[in-house]
Amino acid sequence: MSDNFRLTPEDDFPVELEDLKDGKLQILDSQIQRQLDHEVVTEGESNPETDFRHHELDLEFENREG
């Protein structure tokens, strides 16, 4: 991991999000959101892998709400 605040596309990402506890999922979501923000500011757009991870997290949150 590049640091504790962001999760870069090169960093490991859990395959099974449903196995994570809510707190860990929220931390992971924050790290991905910070990475998205960093990419947009520094590169002008987000990395497709980061977008995919963000989408996967959104789906997992939706599944847990329903």
Side-chain angles (χ1 to χ4, degrees), residues 5 7-9 11-14 17 25-40 45-63:
F5 301 109
L7 194 71
T8 69
D11 293 328
D12 289 335
F13 187 78
L17 294 176
L25 192 69
Q26 290 170 344
I27 291 169
L28 191 60
D29 185 57
S30 294
Q31 291 172 318
I32 293 297
Q33 186 60 55
R34 286 187 193 106
Q35 181 63 27
L36 278 171
D37 294 344
H38 175 77
E39 289 170 2
V40 169
E45 62 184 0
S46 58
N47 183 293
E49 180 63 23
T50 306
D51 282 334
F52 173 77
R53 290 173 174 191
H54 187 251
H55 177 72
E56 289 294 305
L57 286 163
D58 284 348
L59 289 175
E60 182 59 28
F61 280 118
E62 287 177 19
N63 287 337

Side-chain angles (χ1 to χ4, degrees), residues 13-26 28 57 60 64:
F13 187 78
V15 175
E16 302 295 333
L17 294 176
E18 61 270 5
D19 293 342
L20 298 178
K21 294 185 178 185
D22 289 347
K24 179 63 179 168
L25 192 69
Q26 290 170 344
L28 191 60
L57 286 163
E60 182 59 28
R64 290 182 186 207

